[in-house]
């Protein structure tokens, strides 16, 4: 996903912009650029395809570009291939306006044709450049940049976060957003805009989050925000309490490993504030017992790993609430004419809170009268602010593209909410409630025990990293957990893999099992352990190499059949995926390490997907 940063203040802008772009590299990009306004040289623009180092070299670390006002961008291509021309910032034809953009302008062709008819010439294939040219068109009409931006926004359709500077304005940059994140950073005699707080955390902890349709005029000593009618808007300034270190690697070789190791603490931070005197307390929730009882349907909507949390939660929530729970991919939900009305609870799960598919699905659910509850990690993110209710996972900044601690905190929070709702509905007995709650509080230390002995997983990864196709098979919760194990492996090691319901194998896919095929057999869900074992025998009989994952009390039994076994501590059956997923995360990590992959920034991927 693209990254935006803007600066206006007393210091040279270029080094600050480059540093901010570097702190957003993890978001995924294919080119980068900066524009700085200089008293003597007007707007200077430098941009380069490839890694940020190319831009550093091109600008000698920013030293070549004088000026204290500027904007910067890392691009994740949507329209126009990755190259220097299509990189941002884009410049208007007269060279007086520079713009960076995150999002997609859906009617850019129509606008481009209009401008071409006006004699405007274009240099790039991007949708973003159209906005730069349109800005010049309107600025020439009204000679006021704020008004010109307002006119522009009324004509464009799609998603955007814009950073804009104009040669005529020596001390102001303009920001605007709709459907793509953009925040305002408040400094001392200097101010910022950024897609992500990590880009400016080094300079300020005071931020406010722009809402859809808003426009901000940012100078070195003021930030004025307006709505789409150019009426002033009052913004709440939040204090970010993340420390810079927690957004750094902390001595680990990769963010992903650091974040795997942070999971016990992240779970503790997510759970502890919500348990008081042996009861679950969800103060942030505005749903009464009557509201919960009135829901006839529950949807869980998400993408990727967040969707996999939904798959686990479906099994658990139906078991606890005795209500139908439907899990859908956000990208499918939007277009299936979903059965949502006032008696529907729609849970949306998102680490970033900016995934466009999930955001759009949530809006569709609201439009149909559904009640929305968001499970989100990034405070103040778009989904968090638009949902009727939001419960935050307190995992802290997750930098690696492949999620781990956010997945785990989402999972445990969904278990907590499921138990809470079950108590509201009277569908869980006191003994089960107390047993599950006790085990939830023991998860961090049980996970820690496993994390202190990862050498077995590391060894198995060195044994199996050369396979080119790996199956994850399991039943019920193991099947749902296997989806996440499979995605982790695919994402960072680029090995083809699929998760399969092991009871379904014999209905066709077992034809793919041949001598030496690696099958990760998941048998941590005790109630179906014997069934899982029979499937292990099935695939062994066809030549599979079986790596079994089970619980410590069943390891002895499994090791008689499997070629290798990993065992995790026992917990309550509905919580078992929270422990079982950890060796799957580590297996993917160490396989990718063996294969020399770019673990924190896998090819083709972005940390948050804000395009359709
Ligand atoms: C998970 O490792 C991936 N990075 C991806 O599947 C991710 O879970 C998905 O894009 C959803 O992101 P979100 O949770 O931020 O909405």
């Amino acid at each position: 996903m693209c990254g935006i940063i803007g600066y206006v203040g007393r210091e040279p802008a270029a080094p600050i912009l480059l540093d901010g772009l570097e702190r957003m590299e993890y978001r995924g990009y294919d080119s980068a650029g900066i524009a700085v306004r200089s008293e003597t040289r007007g707007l200077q623009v430098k941009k380069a395809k490839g890694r940020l180092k190319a831009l550093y070299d091109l600008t000698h670390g920013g030293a070549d570009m004088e000026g204290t006002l500027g904007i910067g961008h890392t691009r994740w291509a949507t329209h126009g291939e990755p190259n220097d021309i299509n990189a941002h910032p884009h410049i208007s034809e007269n060279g007086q306006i520079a713009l960076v953009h995150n999002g997609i302008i859906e009617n850019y062709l129509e606008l481009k044709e209009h401008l071409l008819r006006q004699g405007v010439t274009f240099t790039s294939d991007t949708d973003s450049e159209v906005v730069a040219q349109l800005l010049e068109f309107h600025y020439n009409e009204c000679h006021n940049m704020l008004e010109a931006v307002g006119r522009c926004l009324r004509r464009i359709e799609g998603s955007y976060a814009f950073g804009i500077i104009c040669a005529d304005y020596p001390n102001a940059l303009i920001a605007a957003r709709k459907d793509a994140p953009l925040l305002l950073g408040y400094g001392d005699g200097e101010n910022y805009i950024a897609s992500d707080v990590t880009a400016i955390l080094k300079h300020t902890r005071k931020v406010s989050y722009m809402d859809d349709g808003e426009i901000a005029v940012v100078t070195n000593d003021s930030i004025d925000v307006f709505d789409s009618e150019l009426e002033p808007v009052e913004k709440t300034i939040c204090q970010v309490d993340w420390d810079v270190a927690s957004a750094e690697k902390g001595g680990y070789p990769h963010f992903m490993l650091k974040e795997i190791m942070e999971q016990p603490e992240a779970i503790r931070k997510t759970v502890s504030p919500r348990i008081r005197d042996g009861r679950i307390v969800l103060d942030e929730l505005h749903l009464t017992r009557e509201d919960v009882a009135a829901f006839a349907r529950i949807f869980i909507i998400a993408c990727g790993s967040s969707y996999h949390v939904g798959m686990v939660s479906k099994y658990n929530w139906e078991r606890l609430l005795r209500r139908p729970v439907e899990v859908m991919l956000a990208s499918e939900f939007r277009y299936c004419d979903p059965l949502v009305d006032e008696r529907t609870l729609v849970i949306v799960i998102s680490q970033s809170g900016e995934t466009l598919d999930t955001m759009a699905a949530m809006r569709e659910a609201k439009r149909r009268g559904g009640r929305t509850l968001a499970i989100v990690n990034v405070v103040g993110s778009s989904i968090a602010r638009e949902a009727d209710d939001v419960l935050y996972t307190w995992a802290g900044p997750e930098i690696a593209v492949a999620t781990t601690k956010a997945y785990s905190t989402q999972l445990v929070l969904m278990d907590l909410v499921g138990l809470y709702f079950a108590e509201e509905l009277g569908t869980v007995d006191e003994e089960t409630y107390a047993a599950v709650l006790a085990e939830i509080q023991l998860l961090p230390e049980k996970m820690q025990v496993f994390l202190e002995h990862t050498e077995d997983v590391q060894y198995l990864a060195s044994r199996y990293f050369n396979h080119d196709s790996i199956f994850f098979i399991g039943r019920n919760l193991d099947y749902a957990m296997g989806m996440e194990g499979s995605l982790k492996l695919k994402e960072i090691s680029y090995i083809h893999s699929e998760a399969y319901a092991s009871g379904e194998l014999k209905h066709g896919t077992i034809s793919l099992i041949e001598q030496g095929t690696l099958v990760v057999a998941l048998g941590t869900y005790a109630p179906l352990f014997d069934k899982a074992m029979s499937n292990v025998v099935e695939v062994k009989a066809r030549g599979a190499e079986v790596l079994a994952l089970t619980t410590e009390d069943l390891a002895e039994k499994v090791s008689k059949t499997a070629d290798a076994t990993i065992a995790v501590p026992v917990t309550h059956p509905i919580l078992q995926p929270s422990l079982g997923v950890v060796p799957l995360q580590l297996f993917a990590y160490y396989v990718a390490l063996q294969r020399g992959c770019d673990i924190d920034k896998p090819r083709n991927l972005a940390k948050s997907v804000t395009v359709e």
Side-chain angles (χ1 to χ4, degrees), residues 354-409:
E354 300 298 348
T355 301
L356 190 59
D357 285 327
T358 308
M359 161 76 91
M362 179 178 73
R363 287 176 174 168
E364 179 62 20
K366 289 182 78 168
R367 193 178 65 80
R368 292 169 180 261
R371 177 67 182 256
T372 54
L373 166 57
I375 305 286
V376 175
N377 191 47
V378 178
V379 175
S381 55
S382 305
I383 289 173
R385 284 180 292 118
E386 285 200 22
D388 297 315
D389 284 284
V390 58
L391 293 174
Y392 285 114
T393 51
W394 301 113
E398 185 175 70
I399 307 301
V401 166
T403 182
T404 50
K405 63 177 182 174
Y407 170 91
S408 290
T409 51

Side-chain angles (χ1 to χ4, degrees), residues 1 54 73 175 213-214 246 310 342 395 424 432 445 499 507 510 533 594 606:
M1 186 180 81
H73 187 267
E214 289 180 346
S246 66
E342 293 65 33
E424 296 279 280
T432 303
E445 71 183 76
H507 298 287
I510 202 165
M533 285 311 297
Q594 290 281 349

Side-chain angles (χ1 to χ4, degrees), residues 303-306 349-353 355 358 401-403 410 487-488 491 609:
C303 303
S305 294
S306 297
I349 304 174
S350 176
Q351 186 286 129
S352 61
T355 301
T358 308
V401 166
T403 182
Q410 290 168 349
L487 178 60
K488 287 280 91 54
E491 273 192 280
V609 184

Side-chain angles (χ1 to χ4, degrees), residues 526-575:
L528 293 175
F529 175 77
D530 292 339
K531 287 287 183 192
M533 285 311 297
S534 65
N535 299 130
V536 170
V537 172
E538 247 172 40
V539 294
K540 282 292 292 175
R542 288 156 178 83
E545 172 87 5
V546 173
L547 164 53
L549 171 62
T550 187
T551 48
E552 286 160 351
D553 57 330
L554 298 168
E556 173 71 27
K557 197 186 271 188
V558 174
S559 57
K560 293 187 172 68
T561 310
D563 299 285
T565 302
I566 301 171
V568 292
V570 177
T571 181
H572 190 283
I574 71 172
L575 303 176

